[in-house]
């Protein structure tokens, strides 16, 4: 039996890869207009980075990390997310010393040992941003508006923004205690994971997806009613800015997100068209994480978007460029002439392929058909002598001669028609 991919991982190739590139290029273009700079961190880090950064009591650290010992016995982990790594890099390179607000973005693979299903993989790709150095609610709103802008520019519809506040070190402990009291009262109705979470991470119970837990939580205390004045004011300003920026949102008091490090604003964007794995992205404010890593007191805000899921939503668009590629067929001893023709097209930004192995014109045309191609040039010995090529449009079933010196212009016109 030939070897296959590891469970939960996949190969991504043409034409799907075109959707990925389309999304990445659009996103990079827009991020630049908001003054974000790219950062590439290693795919693996010392395990401590994630254990400290994400929180020991989270599902990710508890049961989803790919952790192994290297040859010197050091504990290494494949990154399950990138915020902890970016914070590590921010401190390692003393980026805070430059002053001002630091805006970073990343694109790359993440690894989590989760149960694979459509939209959920063990290696998946995220685009994420982190903004360091501002407590201002404007940053929360603008960073949310940024991602909505990206999603709209790639043509996504049917999106909702859910938003909540998790309070701060003043008001969250009071809420946590109230919630814990409530959860102890309904413990028997909760799933095994949630029973454990009552002591370790009670807020996490709020976004458990098990139906019986959801039902049992109907009368749970609402975090929105426990926010202190400062958190309320922060949230009101975030809402105000979102409204002035034209971003629609819903307040969702049970939205807590799986990670420990959030403070105040948390949000996610969900799609109506994704089934059970409907969250495209999530994020929020994390004002204490940099300090907890041993750095200066630096408030921060970020989100991470799942590219695999986003690409599933781009399915209807046509990214296949086979019908824009020009296939060049030799006849007799004319491969050099084909290459000369291809070179002119390529210099002018047109995609072309020399069908060097074609045994006959008929076989070449069959092969172009199979690849969903449309445009063919026959560049044989007799055409070379006349300084022309024969152009065939397989869709319209037309054929004509074109002078070699005019091919770039004429084929551009054909493709743009
Ligand atoms: P998180 O880092 O858990 O906040 O997730 C942010 C986004 O990454 C989610 O909204 C998903 O779109 C995506 N994501 C998270 N886990 C996976 C996974 N296992 N497979 C595919 N996408 C994922």
């Amino acid at each position: 039996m030939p070897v296959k991919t590891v469970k939960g991982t996949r190969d991504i190739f043409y034409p799907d890869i075109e959707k990925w590139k389309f999304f990445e290029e659009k996103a990079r273009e827009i991020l630049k207009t908001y003054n974000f700079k790219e950062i590439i961190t290693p795919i693996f880090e010392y395990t401590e980075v994630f254990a400290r950064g994400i929180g020991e009591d989270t599902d990710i650290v508890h049961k989803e990390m790919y952790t192994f010992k290297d040859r010197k016995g050091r504990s290494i982990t494949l990154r399950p997310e990138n915020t902890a790594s970016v914070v590590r890099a921010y401190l390692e390179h003393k980026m805070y010393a430059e002053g001002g607000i630091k805006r970073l973005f990343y694109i790359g693979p993440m690894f989590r040992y989760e149960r694979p299903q459509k939209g959920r993989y063990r290696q998946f790709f995220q685009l994420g941003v982190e903004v360091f150095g501002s407590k201002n609610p404007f940053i929360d709103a603008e960073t949310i508006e940024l991602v909505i802008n990206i999603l709209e520019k790639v043509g996504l519809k049917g999106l909702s923004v859910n938003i909540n506040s998790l309070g701060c070190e003043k008001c969250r402990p009071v809420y946590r205690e109230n919630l814990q009291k409530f959860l102890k009262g309904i413990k028997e109705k909760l799933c095994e994971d949630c029973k454990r979470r009552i002591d370790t991470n009670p807020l996490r119970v709020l976004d458990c997806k098990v139906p019986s837990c959801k039902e049992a939580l109907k009368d749970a205390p609402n975090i929105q009613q426990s926010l202190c004045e400062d958190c309320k004011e922060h949230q009101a300003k975030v809402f105000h800015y979102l409204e002035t920026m034209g971003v629609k949102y819903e307040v969702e008091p049970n939205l807590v997100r799986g990670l420990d490090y959030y403070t105040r604003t948390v949000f996610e964007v969900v799609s109506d068209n994704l089934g059970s794995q409907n969250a495209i992205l999530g994020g929020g404010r994390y004002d204490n994480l940099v300090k907890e890593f041993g750095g200066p007191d630096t408030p921060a805000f970020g989100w991470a978007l799942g590219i695999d899921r986003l690409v599933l939503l781009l399915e209807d668009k046509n990214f296949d460029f086979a019908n824009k590629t020009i296939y060049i067929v030799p006849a007799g001893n004319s491969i050099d002439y084909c290459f000369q023709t291809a070179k002119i097209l390529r210099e002018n930004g047109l995609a072309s392929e020399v069908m060097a192995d074609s045994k006959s014109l008929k076989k070449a045309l069959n092969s172009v058909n199979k690849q969903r191609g449309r445009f063919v040039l026959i560049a044989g010995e007799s055409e070379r002598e006349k300084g022309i090529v024969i152009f065939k449009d397989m869709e319209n079933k037309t054929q004509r001669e074109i002078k070699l010196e005019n091919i770039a212009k004429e084929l551009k016109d054909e493709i743009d028609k």
Side-chain angles (χ1 to χ4, degrees):
M1 273 267 283
V3 182
K4 298 215 165 126
T5 49
V6 174
K7 185 175 176 187
T9 69
R10 351 180 255 150
D11 301 312
I12 298 148
F13 49 93
Y14 182 84
D16 266 0
I17 197 99
E18 291 306 310
K19 295 182 200 169
W20 284 63
K21 296 299 155 200
F22 162 76
F23 169 72
E24 281 193 24
E25 279 164 24
K26 261 275 170 287
R28 276 176 210 280
E29 213 177 87
I30 295 167
L31 281 157
K32 210 170 178 181
T33 66
Y34 287 69
N35 203 24
F36 276 74
K37 311 269 165 43
E38 186 162 2
I39 179 166
I40 301 176
T41 60
I43 280 171
F44 53 86
E45 302 261 357
Y46 291 121
T47 303
E48 197 192 336
V49 170
F50 305 113
R52 246 165 94 178
I54 302 172
E56 298 276 5
D57 294 328
T58 56
D59 282 355
I60 293 183
V61 173
H62 204 68
K63 53 188 186 193
E64 294 172 2
M65 294 208 304
Y66 280 92
T67 297
F68 55 94
K69 291 263 183 331
D70 73 3
R71 284 172 186 274
K72 289 263 166 67
R74 290 167 293 219
S75 183
I76 304 289
T77 295
L78 298 184
R79 62 183 184 195
E81 56 104 63
N82 214 22
T83 299
S85 307
V86 175
V87 170
R88 196 257 322 123
Y90 178 78
L91 293 177
E92 191 165 332
H93 305 291
K94 298 194 174 55
M95 292 185 199
Y96 48 85
E98 292 165 21
I101 300 175
K102 193 105 209 140
R103 296 162 215 268
L104 300 171
F105 80 92
Y106 59 83
I107 298 183
M110 309 295 154
F111 307 85
R112 291 184 200 169
Y113 197 88
E114 292 191 276
R115 198 169 46 77
Q117 62 181 89
K118 190 176 180 205
R120 188 158 76 194
Y121 311 100
R122 290 182 173 172
Q123 172 177 290
F124 59 98
F125 289 74
Q126 286 186 335
L127 159 70
V129 304
E130 315 293 350
V131 182
F132 294 104
S134 175
K135 267 193 160 29
N136 198 324
F138 173 78
I139 295 296
D140 306 34
E142 194 192 36
T143 314
I144 296 174
E145 191 272 340
L146 156 65
V147 75
I148 298 302
N149 189 4
I150 294 176
L151 296 175
E152 282 175 355
K153 292 270 161 59
V154 297
L156 291 201
K157 301 214 164 63
L159 304 172
S160 322
V161 179
N162 296 327
I163 195 162
N164 193 20
S165 173
L166 295 183
C168 63
E169 57 277 14
K170 269 191 288 171
C171 54
R172 182 158 25 165
V174 181
Y175 175 72
R176 194 176 187 272
E177 218 177 292
N178 279 341
L179 180 66
Q180 238 164 0
K181 254 190 233 150
F182 171 84
L183 295 175
K184 281 182 183 152
I186 58 157
K187 187 169 178 179
E188 288 321 306
K189 295 183 185 160
L190 298 175
C191 71
E192 287 312 306
D193 276 343
C194 283
K195 281 184 184 141
R196 183 175 48 79
R197 288 174 187 142
I198 295 179
D199 293 317
T200 57
N201 196 351
L203 266 72
R204 182 71 176 75
V205 176
L206 291 176
D207 75 353
C208 180
K209 302 285 179 281
V210 176
S212 51
C213 289
K214 276 191 169 171
E215 176 64 27
L217 285 163
K218 274 208 312 234
D219 299 319
N222 181 334
I223 195 162
Q224 284 286 327
Q225 280 146 22
S226 306
L227 299 177
C228 64
E229 285 311 310
D230 288 347
C231 286
K232 265 192 214 154
E233 192 188 327
H234 183 94
Q235 178 170 264
K237 284 188 175 153
V238 174
F239 291 171
H240 165 77
Y241 289 128
L242 285 175
E243 281 152 28
T244 58
M245 292 169 185
V247 176
K248 295 204 178 64
Y249 60 88
E250 292 283 337
V251 181
E252 173 48 81
N254 282 354
L255 177 69
V256 297
R257 318 264 315 118
L259 313 175
D260 269 0
Y261 49 60
Y262 290 115
T263 46
R264 292 193 169 159
T265 314
V266 286
F267 80 105
E268 66 180 12
V269 178
V270 296
S271 161
D272 300 342
N273 308 319
L274 269 178
S276 70
Q277 299 301 311
N278 66 348
I280 309 174
L281 73 119
R285 180 161 276 289
Y286 52 97
D287 287 346
N288 301 324
L289 187 61
V290 178
K291 199 166 55 188
E292 278 163 22
F293 257 86
D297 196 357
T298 310
F301 191 94
W303 49 250
L305 174 155
I307 300 180
D308 306 71
R309 287 187 199 171
L310 185 122
V311 166
L312 288 173
L313 292 171
L314 295 179
E315 217 133 56
D316 295 342
K317 288 203 170 203
N318 183 13
F319 290 97
D320 191 352
F321 60 78
N323 66 351
K324 294 200 167 83
T325 301
I326 299 145
Y327 295 86
I328 308 173
V329 188
N333 187 11
S334 71
I335 284 217
D336 286 347
Y337 185 51
C338 292
F339 180 74
Q340 191 191 342
T341 310
K343 185 88 180 157
I344 299 172
L345 295 173
R346 289 168 185 160
E347 294 294 330
N348 284 279
L350 299 173
S352 68
E353 178 180 326
V354 176
M355 304 196 72
D357 280 349
S358 84
K359 298 278 182 293
S360 70
L361 179 60
K362 196 165 161 230
K363 283 193 176 142
L365 295 183
N366 271 340
S367 164
V368 172
N369 254 332
K370 262 199 197 151
Q371 297 176 59
R372 302 177 303 278
R374 175 175 175 187
F375 300 122
V376 174
L377 294 180
I378 304 164
E381 285 177 42
S382 56
E383 284 76 33
R384 177 177 48 203
E385 274 159 27
K386 290 191 241 161
I388 56 150
V389 291
I390 297 171
F391 167 72
K392 263 176 119 52
D393 181 336
M394 312 264 282
E395 199 175 288
N396 297 344
K397 309 219 175 335
T398 56
Q399 176 168 325
R400 64 188 163 91
E401 290 183 358
I402 299 179
K403 282 193 182 147
L404 192 63
E405 68 235 40
N406 296 337
I407 50 166
K409 188 187 168 312
E410 295 211 17
L411 282 165
K412 261 191 191 151
D413 291 347
E414 288 291 340
I415 288 169
D416 292 342
K417 250 185 205 167

